[in-house]
Amino acid sequence: MFATRFAPSPTGRLHKGHAFSALTARQAASEAGGRFVLRIEDIDPTRCKPAFEDGIYEDLQWLGLDWEHSVRRQSDHLDDYAGAVEDLRQRGLVYRCFRTRKEFLDTIGHAPHGAAEAVRPGPHPQDEEAELLRAGRPFAWRLSLDAARDTLGGAAWDSLSFFEEGQGPQGENGRIKARPETAGDVVLARKDAGAAYHLAAVHDDALQGMTHIIRGVDLFEATHIQRLIQSLFGWPEPIYRHHRLLTGPDGRRYAKRDGSVTLQALREDGMTARDLRAEIGF
């Protein structure tokens, strides 16, 4: 059965871009006679707030959306993601990385032309890692692309792909070769903050039986590394449908970090859900 989801992070109130994405996914599920799931991706303890989660429910209900009764909150399932990381660790697919963000930025700054290449630092030497562990330094678990390729084998690596029903930023459509190397050795978990987005999202997509991933084109590039993670675990391959992003009068896409006008503010200014739906094409 067709199944898709809307998976916001409660790091702020929803805006028009969120409304467009949620309505797009809900409409697709309705047209296919399938499932529509709401998932709360609240694995960032420093930015996610209960008040923002409450706001998500309030805004979606105002829009007239409904979803399956059970809502998965990722912060309630950190042990699931830790178990997945442990599986990868036992298979030699992840390594500890103690390097800080500043150290990476300094490295980039000294690269030719300041090129921000995909981060692939590799594991620390054993004696250095042991010393860092004794010192109690925080670390991240990074996925080793080299180990992943060896595990899958060259043929499987070369044939790794995904099917795009929507459109990528350059008009990509249809069967597309996955290029996980563009993401580098991504962080899958941190010692002090649990799972990272790529792992938690694909874990839950598989667990919840998502057949279609419908989301903004800004997440198109994430698909490359997510397909690799799915393949390493033997999880099903969903179909992807990336959609356009709404932009404001200034031509910039709506974003929380830019202080975009929220659905709450629009509602308080007198806009009705029907008016908003019509404005954004629903």
Side-chain angles (χ1 to χ4, degrees), residues 215-232:
R215 60 190 183 185
V217 71
D218 55 324
L219 289 171
F220 177 83
E221 294 300 331
T223 312
H224 295 281
I225 195 68
Q226 291 176 0
R227 276 294 296 124
L228 174 59
I229 297 170
Q230 290 161 354
S231 183
L232 290 172

Side-chain angles (χ1 to χ4, degrees), residues 84 199 202-204 206-207 227 229-238:
L199 177 63
V202 297
H203 174 283
D204 289 354
L207 179 71
R227 276 294 296 124
I229 297 170
Q230 290 161 354
S231 183
L232 290 172
F233 281 104
W235 291 335
E237 175 194 347

Side-chain angles (χ1 to χ4, degrees), residues 20-21 30 38 41 123 128 146 188 214 218 224 226 254 272:
F20 181 80
S21 191
S30 296
L38 173 63
E41 298 194 338
E128 180 182 332
D146 290 337
L188 296 184
I214 300 173
D218 55 324
H224 295 281
Q226 291 176 0
Y254 293 105
T272 67

Side-chain angles (χ1 to χ4, degrees), residues 96 98-99 123-135:
R96 293 183 182 90
F98 295 83
R99 301 165 182 88
H124 297 261
Q126 287 188 350
D127 55 347
E128 180 182 332
E129 179 177 299
E131 180 61 32
L132 291 167
L133 283 172
R134 283 194 294 270

Side-chain angles (χ1 to χ4, degrees), residues 234-253:
W235 291 335
E237 175 194 347
I239 292 171
Y240 290 86
R241 190 184 300 177
H242 291 90
H243 60 70
R244 66 183 178 89
L245 302 178
L246 291 191
T247 56
D250 59 359
R252 300 175 64 185
R253 72 181 182 92

Side-chain angles (χ1 to χ4, degrees), residues 138-202:
F139 62 84
W141 287 109
R142 287 189 179 274
L143 176 65
S144 169
L145 291 185
D146 290 337
R149 183 178 184 123
D150 290 343
T151 295
L152 293 182
W157 178 277
D158 292 339
S159 64
L160 192 65
S161 64
F162 60 94
F163 192 83
E164 175 62 56
E165 281 190 341
Q167 195 171 79
Q170 304 301 321
E172 300 93 334
N173 182 265
R175 180 59 62 178
I176 298 170
K177 176 175 171 51
R179 296 175 291 107
E181 65 275 6
T182 60
D185 290 356
V186 295
V187 171
L188 296 184
R190 296 187 184 279
K191 180 176 181 291
D192 55 349
Y197 162 70
H198 290 300
L199 177 63
V202 297

Side-chain angles (χ1 to χ4, degrees), residues 4-6 22-31 34-39 56-71 277:
T4 193
R5 43 59 164 189
F6 177 58
L23 288 165
T24 297
R26 184 67 185 92
Q27 178 174 283
S30 296
E31 291 174 348
R35 301 166 53 214
F36 176 65
V37 169
L38 173 63
R39 185 167 73 223
I56 288 171
Y57 300 126
E58 180 184 3
D59 290 338
L60 295 182
Q61 288 168 351
W62 174 71
L63 282 170
L65 289 174
D66 60 342
W67 52 85
E68 287 188 356
H69 177 67
S70 178
V71 176
R277 291 169 70 113

